[in-house]
Amino acid sequence: MIFENKLAPVPAGEPGEGDGEGGDHDAKWKHGLFVPEQSETPVHSQNGQQHHGDDEMRPAGGALADTGHTEQLDRAGHPGENAEQKRHAGRPQPGARPENVAGPPIEYVRTKNAGGQRNRESNQHRMNWMTGQSDARFEAMKIGLLFDRIDQLVGVPLDQFLFGNLFVQRVGQWFHPLRNRVRAASATFALAPLAACNGSLSTIDPAGPSALRVADLWWWMLGGSLLLSALVFTLLFMALFRRGVADRQKPDRKNVWIGWLGLAMPIGVLSVLLVYALWVGERSLPTGTAAVRVEATAYNYGWTFCYEDGSCSEGVMRIPAERRVDIDITATDVIHSLWIPRLAGKMDAIPGQVNRLRIEAEAPGRYEAVCAEYCGIGHADHRFVVQAYDIGDTADALEAAR
Amino acid sequence: MKAIQLHRDLTRIWEGEPGWRGVLTSVSHTDLGKRFIIAAAVFFGIGGVLAMLIRAQLATPESAFAGPEVYGQIFTMHGSIMMFLFAIPMLEGLAIYLLPKILGARDLAYPRLTALGWWCYLFGGSIMILALLGGVAPDAGWFLYPPLSGKEFTPGVNSDVWLLGITFVEISAMCAAIEIVVTILKFRAANMSLTRMPIMAWYLLATAGMMIFGFPPLILGSILLELERAFGWPFFQPELGGSPLLWQHLFWLFGHPEVYIIFLPAAGALSTIIPVMARTPLIGYGAIVTAVMALAFLSFGLWVHHMFTTGIPHMALGFFSAASVLVAIPTAVQIFAWIGTIWAGRPKFTLPMYYIVGFFIVFVLGGLTGVMLAIVPFDQQAHDTAFVTAHLHYVLVGGFVFPMLAAAYYWMPHATGRTRVMRLGIAAFWLILIGFNLTFLHMHLTGLLGMPRRMYTYPAEAGWTWLNLISSVGSFMQAFGFGLFAIDIALQRRVGNRSRRDPWNAETLEWAMPTPPPQYNFASLPTVDCREPLTRDRLLGAGLAAGRGLLGRTIGHRRETLAVDMVTGAPEHVAILPGPSIVPFQTALVIGGFFLSMLLSLYWLAPVFILGTAVMVWRWTATTGTTKDDGPVDTGQGDQLPTSFAVRGSVGYWGSVLAIAASATLFASLVFGHFFLWVVAPNWPPPGDFGAYFLEPALVTAGSLLALAAARIGARDFARSRNGAMISACSLALAVAGLLIGAIRHLPGPGEHSFAAVGWTLTSYAVFSAIVGLLAQIFITRRIASGHTTSDRPHELRIAAVWSDYGAAVALAVAWILSLSSASL
């Protein structure tokens, strides 16, 4: 699956480094795999489904994912990396993102000033500790998850939300690979001319949950639009080229044209779309606590980012990967708009006003960003870069970002 | 013999003056409509050339063709020209040319106002183009967001050109809007009830109604921004209690209805042409009328969908998102009604039909991407990217340009009396359709790949190179298509064969006249008893030409047409219309003087031109009316009807009501601005002490109430009306004094804080409205003295009362809004 690999474009912690076992743990940790997999179990049992239904839902990598799943429950680790990426590609992130419970506080990472090697070691220690204590942590997390139940009701994967689990089990089996293939094909098509930049500003190459949800929304809307336009054009050309009726007194079927096609169909389609969109929008709001706050200030022509520790950077925004980051955006002169297409939608930077945007990078890496609101002659070059660093590799990344 | 004599008499009465003077004094809707259409087409050409420059610049990465300063002017002017100098005037031209003809009337309700609109459009548009040639064109984007468009970041004259030029052009839009509504409601064929109106009239009624309520917020926004730029009144500066978002609200309060204002007349043309080409009546007339009215109403409730990324709370956005997708429903009703009509009929593949098919293809795609953009999370990704550029071109070219091309081919035989010559039109169609899709279809993808709008260049690594190059190739293909279309139209005009009357077997009354149409349209006016009078009676036109309709006779040199009851269409009175006049041209010149003095920062000169405008308006109104009483006149069919001088509900009254509705919308927008800044803007409350004050508001209240009462008494009893008017005028003067004293004593200087700036603007508006009412009442005393207004011709009393009532009401409202605001600060 070409596209799936694209979803984790920058390999997180250089898996080649360190010993295989540790690296594996490390990668899993970064992908939040260990925790969310478990968090899914209550969701499904709540819906009256056994979790093997969940396995059936992943047709392509099904067996692998199944294995991985079992392994996680037993040994709290060693799942197929592929299965995890599959989850990201196939549907939006599940509601509960328990990093806040399980993850170390970001300040802890920040205070680490040690060199790379030492940091990696401490990381290793932390992971070992995690492995040993997994059951206890899982219990603690379950309590936390109870509070997220309501959220999960809406936060189930979208296809289940719309059609129910049964549909997903039966139809989704072929539907999911189909959708992924469509996506892969589209991405290949879209990105074919972009070999050089790998779609660094592409909204359809998402690298964060918010952008991912919107990209999903886009593919759904594209599919729906293609169907609808096919319907309209078919009717139009049938109307144009069907054999004429000489008799003008023939009933004109007003009910069908205006009642069903003109009223009922759009009302039905649009209601579903609105509910879906409201769900996507609500999920991307900066609610709850974010791990990190950044203050972004736009001006002619540059960007300043200030962090909680009082430090600031110009033109580069440093954020931890896999953490919710809230950006408080403002401007000092004219209106600008902060846009990191692969992470989230845009938010205007307006003088005299602070707007908050929630972003999250799924993996460490560089994400290009541009100003989206015309701000004068320097608009075309009014860009910046988001540097998402690996929280397990803080000092290295911080150094690199600086 | 009688028919030929009638034709000669009517020609003598209705024809314009000869030579150059005739060009300046013409008030004929046929002439002026054609001028609007031709000028709009020329501006379309200029806008198209700018589009080609944009595509030339973006064809390759890092292009050295245009720098960012020049590029800023190019894209700003491309958008502004296409919106304000092409689309709106084109639809006005279509309405002005067509409306009396499809309604069965001889002219529009206010022929001189049509002329004024034309000159304002021409002068305002010329200012814009001259600025472009001089290199000082607006360059902050067609929606001119402050603070970028403010004095600090655009110190040159560029933004002023936009604000003043566009407002100048807007005068013509307001004139046209009022005129269209009154014409549709009053100047129809006898017995043409609302339900028998041709569908196009419904569309134009909705459009003009939307213009009356849609344009004032933009005009207000332009006034405020110009005040800020010229005099430093801080409406949009956050550090002094303003908010840049206020501009966005005002702009899009206009800007979104604008899209439907452009689309609806085009849809009206489609609803007119499709049934003719399908040779069957339109299905769902009632459903379409309902859909159009729903669209007109809904379009005012979704302006915020242009502001999804400005930080408005998500639930509020959800409301506007729902309203935005809701408009897809009335649009779908129309689309399927049209397809259903084609289905029910036997379509002819005429040239207009090609463009109609093009419309369906392009517009449906644009509508679908429109629904996508109404979805908040998706819009937050796609907003301000090439995706939006692609979408808006699909909607506007699909929803306006293609129908207008169809309409051009459909009505050309009407305007010229000739048929098309060659198959150039079909070649042009394919070039435009393929070129258009080649330009814009994959531009959606360009946007999704992250290309923002309005970038003058992009790096090669961005990966948009091929997409942009294909767009550029497509756009030039399109340009050749439009060029071919222009050649085809010119050929048809010059060398086309004479066509017979009504070559399409159409349904509506404009084809019941000789083509090209005579200045008087109909030698005698039709009486209708169904929606498709021509289908019922193919020889209707001949009968009318022979004088077998109403008013098929002449009285002196009087221009007459029939005015009917608004709902039933029963003949009500004979409207007497003014002939050629130089006054509209002179008035436009004086107004132009005002705009130029503002543009050149000769602020001391501007009041002179305001005074001059007042003098011109006085002259204008003073030349209407009559001092002779000639009683009811014969309709030519044995009935007696009063003339427009002797009725209470004359078109002048309804025009005044609509003008006041527009003015009240501007006032409401200003009050909205006041409270918006109070609630939303930073740096509130203003520094300083604000106490309650009641003396001046009490004075204003006394003056206003007295003015209202005096006008009532004068209207009830003609003997007292002259004194009533005098008292009313004096009371308004008292109210004006109260307003001014209140502002001077209690408001800080307008440059200090947005509260004071808005306060002074409110006061100025109230003073202006009260003075207009005051002048109207003084005017009435003069008219009574001169014998124009008598107990038999009382309609001007009513008109003056409407204006003075409004002035009094505004003065009252403003005095208390300011007093209570100060008290609660």
Side-chain angles (χ1 to χ4, degrees), chain B residues 127-215:
Chain B
I127 290 176
M128 304 275 290
I129 299 303
L130 287 176
L132 182 64
L133 295 176
V136 289
D139 57 359
W142 84 274
F143 33 80
L144 215 76
Y145 279 179
L148 182 62
S149 57
K151 200 77 181 170
E152 191 184 344
F153 302 98
T154 310
V157 80
N158 311 52
S159 298
D160 302 307
V161 169
W162 194 98
L163 294 167
L164 297 165
I166 294 299
T167 305
F168 201 2
V169 174
E170 233 81 293
I171 294 175
S172 85
M174 294 311 299
C175 293
I178 292 171
E179 183 157 62
I180 289 168
V181 172
V182 176
T183 304
I184 293 172
L185 292 179
K186 294 302 290 184
F187 283 13
R188 302 201 298 264
N191 293 343
M192 185 188 273
S193 61
L194 286 179
T195 52
R196 286 177 190 158
M197 283 204 307
I199 191 91
M200 182 75 174
W202 278 111
Y203 277 99
L204 289 174
L205 184 63
T207 306
M210 289 168 72
M211 286 165 80
I212 287 174
F213 296 106
F215 277 75

Side-chain angles (χ1 to χ4, degrees), chain B residues 458-732:
Chain B
Y458 53 92
E461 311 87 77
W464 308 319
T465 310
W466 282 102
L467 296 165
N468 274 297
L469 186 62
I470 297 170
S471 286
S472 296
V473 170
S475 72
F476 279 90
M477 187 169 170
Q478 219 185 138
F480 282 114
F482 282 111
L484 213 53
F485 169 82
I487 293 172
D488 192 31
I489 292 289
L491 281 175
Q492 178 171 350
R493 169 85 184 74
R494 282 274 156 214
V495 300
N497 291 325
R498 284 262 155 220
S499 77
R500 66 183 173 91
R501 178 190 289 190
D502 189 11
W504 309 110
N505 292 325
E507 299 171 338
T508 40
L509 285 173
E510 80 271 26
W511 298 101
M513 64 178 68
T515 53
Q519 292 286 339
Y520 53 84
N521 287 349
F522 302 95
S524 61
L525 300 179
T527 303
V528 300
D529 54 3
C530 64
R531 228 173 265 154
E532 297 99 13
L534 273 182
T535 314
R536 184 75 59 90
D537 176 12
R538 285 269 155 228
L539 298 175
L540 181 65
L544 294 177
R548 285 199 286 272
L550 297 169
L551 303 182
R553 46 105 196 96
T554 55
I555 300 175
H557 205 78
R558 216 151 72 171
R559 297 187 171 198
E560 291 175 313
T561 192
L562 189 72
V564 299
D565 182 87
M566 286 192 191
V567 179
T568 64
E572 192 186 81
H573 65 263
V574 174
I576 295 164
L577 298 173
S581 165
I582 193 75
V583 177
F585 176 70
Q586 290 169 337
T587 310
L589 277 183
V590 176
I591 298 174
F594 167 76
F595 282 109
L596 277 180
S597 59
M598 288 297 291
L599 192 58
L600 303 175
S601 303
L602 304 170
Y603 300 126
W604 55 272
L605 200 58
V608 176
F609 284 108
I610 293 179
L611 214 63
T613 308
V615 171
M616 290 309 298
V617 173
W618 186 288
R619 267 190 62 196
W620 184 311
T621 40
T623 52
T624 57
T626 177
T627 51
K628 287 203 310 275
D629 225 348
D630 38 23
V633 292
D634 183 28
T635 60
Q637 296 287 330
D639 297 325
Q640 300 280 313
L641 286 178
T643 64
S644 47
F645 302 127
V647 290
R648 282 170 58 79
S650 67
V651 292
Y653 174 75
W654 292 111
S656 298
V657 168
L658 292 174
I660 284 170
S663 183
T665 311
L666 187 133
F667 177 51
S669 310
L670 185 55
V671 173
F672 161 78
H674 174 63
F675 289 108
F676 177 83
L677 290 178
W678 193 335
V679 174
V680 170
N683 298 318
W684 273 72
D689 271 342
F690 292 91
Y693 62 97
F694 298 107
L695 189 63
E696 293 87 352
L699 195 67
V700 176
T701 308
S704 299
L705 292 180
L706 203 59
L708 287 167
R712 296 278 87 68
I713 291 165
R716 206 169 293 162
D717 178 3
F718 184 75
R720 296 197 211 159
S721 59
R722 196 171 168 195
N723 289 339
M726 283 308 294
I727 295 170
S728 185
C730 294
S731 316
L732 284 171

Side-chain angles (χ1 to χ4, degrees), chain A residues 161-333:
Chain A
F161 175 66
L162 290 181
F163 307 112
N165 268 337
L166 198 65
F167 175 86
V168 174
Q169 276 178 36
R170 300 279 152 77
V171 187
Q173 209 147 3
W174 54 266
F175 184 71
H176 264 280
L178 183 72
R179 185 146 70 101
N180 288 334
R181 220 167 297 151
V182 168
R183 277 198 195 186
S186 317
T188 314
F189 166 69
L191 303 178
L194 315 178
C197 76
N198 216 8
S200 62
L201 286 168
S202 173
T203 61
I204 44 179
D205 182 16
S210 178
L212 180 66
R213 279 189 288 267
V214 177
D216 262 347
L217 176 66
W218 152 251
W219 292 116
W220 276 100
M221 291 197 298
L222 178 67
S225 297
L226 289 176
L227 285 177
L228 284 174
S229 43
L231 171 74
V232 175
F233 296 152
T234 308
L235 288 173
L236 173 68
F237 285 98
M238 281 175 73
L240 282 170
F241 296 109
R242 80 193 195 108
R243 274 185 53 201
V245 262
D247 182 11
R248 279 199 172 198
Q249 303 307 313
K250 255 183 93 94
D252 52 21
R253 298 206 180 83
K254 213 165 88 177
N255 282 346
V256 177
W257 289 107
I258 289 171
W260 287 107
L261 288 166
L263 283 172
M265 187 184 71
I267 288 174
V269 172
L270 295 174
S271 312
V272 173
L273 180 60
L274 269 178
V275 172
Y276 176 18
L278 201 64
W279 173 81
V280 171
E282 285 291 316
R283 304 275 297 133
S284 305
L285 289 180
T287 50
T289 48
V292 182
R293 290 258 164 86
V294 182
E295 285 175 11
T297 308
Y299 59 93
N300 279 350
Y301 292 93
W303 297 85
T304 307
F305 303 98
C306 290
Y307 308 92
E308 282 159 307
D309 62 2
S311 65
C312 293
S313 58
E314 278 288 317
V316 178
M317 177 161 66
R318 291 179 278 111
I319 58 165
E322 299 170 70
R323 290 289 178 272
R324 302 173 186 175
V325 178
D326 279 356
I327 316 175
D328 286 337
I329 304 164
T330 191
T332 55
D333 39 34

Side-chain angles (χ1 to χ4, degrees), chain A residues 13 26 29-30 104 106 109 112 115-116 118-124 126 320-323 364 389-397:
Chain A
D26 214 275
W29 171 243
K30 268 171 241 138
I106 189 70
V109 179
K112 287 218 168 290
R118 231 188 99 190
N119 188 43
R120 184 160 297 282
E121 277 171 21
S122 70
N123 214 13
Q124 186 68 52
R126 202 168 69 236
E322 299 170 70
R323 290 289 178 272
Y389 56 85
D390 177 359
I391 52 161
D393 204 8
T394 318
D396 274 354

